[in-house]
Amino acid sequence: MTPDELQEQAEREEAASKLFSGRVQFLLSAPQLKFLPEPTVPEIAFCGRSNVGKSSLLNALTGRKAIARASVTPGRTQELNFFEVGEPTQFRLVDMPGYGFAKAPVKVVDKWKQLVRDYLRGRQVLNRTLVLVDARHGLKEVDREMMRMLDESAASYRIVLTKADKVKASELEATAAKVAEEARKHPAAFPVLHITSSEKGMGIAELRAAVLQDAAL
């Protein structure tokens, strides 16, 4: 980055930190599309395999301990959960149902898929989706299925590696390179790969700034 670009990034991170330190409030859970809130502000959605660390990342981004509950039972989030950011509300974060949970009944999984697919295709205020991928495992087939769903819905998305502190630096670098290479083949994938650790705070400020930037599109 040039000095000017570094300055701009620092300003974005500061603005995002200030915004997230203010009002972040749970709005509602929507088990069906008819329960969605009025599309009055931009939305940034978060999705990922069960146990990818989605709740922890949402908590880290918002600087809260339990804005999104991290459950000991993966796959508990079966609805679209909406959180409002800012006073007045500037945008919403949307916690989408986790996918790839082997113990969930087929009917439940199908219901989740339909809800997510319908939301992605029909929500005009959805500015960006963040696809969370466990850095210890890289892309799994269920992640690829989600990416294809986003491509087909023309829903632009960022890929975010989570739990980066759990792997060696060399392994992390190799996984990141593989994921980035594969992402380039997907038309709706954003070209920048984010590497994060909710536990260590790695990449959180940069991702927070990216969310704010996406919300302002």
Side-chain angles (χ1 to χ4, degrees):
M1 281 188 176
T2 66
D4 285 346
E5 287 171 337
L6 286 170
Q7 179 64 27
E8 285 178 16
Q9 177 65 20
E11 288 172 359
R12 279 196 294 266
E13 289 178 15
E14 186 178 351
S17 178
K18 185 176 180 181
L19 179 64
F20 278 109
S21 68
R23 176 179 173 266
V24 180
Q25 186 174 331
F26 173 73
L27 177 63
L28 57 80
S29 292
Q32 298 174 39
L33 292 191
K34 64 182 180 181
F35 296 110
L36 294 181
E38 289 297 316
T40 53
V41 294
E43 292 171 357
I44 307 295
F46 292 71
C47 68
R49 287 190 301 118
S50 297
N51 206 27
V52 75
K54 183 153 51 70
S55 295
S56 297
L57 185 69
L58 279 165
N59 290 335
L61 282 175
T62 59
R64 268 68 173 179
K65 289 185 178 178
I67 190 74
R69 275 182 260 166
S71 173
V72 292
T73 306
R76 284 282 293 275
T77 305
Q78 299 179 22
E79 303 171 340
L80 297 169
N81 293 309
F82 290 79
F83 302 87
E84 294 189 328
V85 180
E87 184 65 74
T89 303
Q90 291 196 25
F91 59 92
R92 297 187 185 114
L93 304 179
V94 186
D95 184 7
M96 297 170 69
Y99 53 81
F101 186 49
K103 293 182 182 178
V106 174
K107 284 186 179 179
V108 173
V109 174
D110 287 344
K111 185 180 175 184
W112 294 354
K113 284 182 180 178
Q114 192 61 50
L115 175 64
V116 168
R117 188 178 285 112
D118 289 346
Y119 170 73
L120 293 175
R121 287 179 175 170
R123 196 66 168 171
Q124 291 184 338
V125 292
L126 176 62
N127 280 19
R128 192 88 72 198
T129 298
L130 273 57
V131 178
L132 277 50
V133 175
D134 194 321
R136 297 172 300 180
H137 309 301
L139 289 170
K140 297 282 191 181
E141 189 51 41
V142 285
D143 299 314
R144 296 183 178 99
E145 183 182 352
M146 186 70 215
M147 291 163 71
R148 287 192 292 270
M149 193 186 298
L150 286 157
D151 290 337
E152 290 162 7
S153 303
S156 177
Y157 59 96
R158 295 177 183 268
I159 298 179
V160 180
L161 291 183
T162 62
K163 305 185 181 183
D165 60 304
K166 306 296 185 187
V167 294
K168 294 177 182 176
S170 57
E171 293 174 11
L172 179 62
E173 188 177 340
T175 299
K178 278 184 184 177
V179 172
E181 182 181 3
E182 192 162 338
R184 283 194 285 271
K185 300 172 185 175
H186 289 263
F190 199 72
V192 177
L193 179 69
H194 294 269
I195 300 174
T196 67
S197 163
S198 300
E199 196 173 306
K200 304 294 185 183
M202 181 195 306
I204 297 300
E206 294 88 343
L207 184 60
R208 199 182 280 140
V211 167
L212 183 58
Q213 190 175 9
D214 289 346
L217 292 175

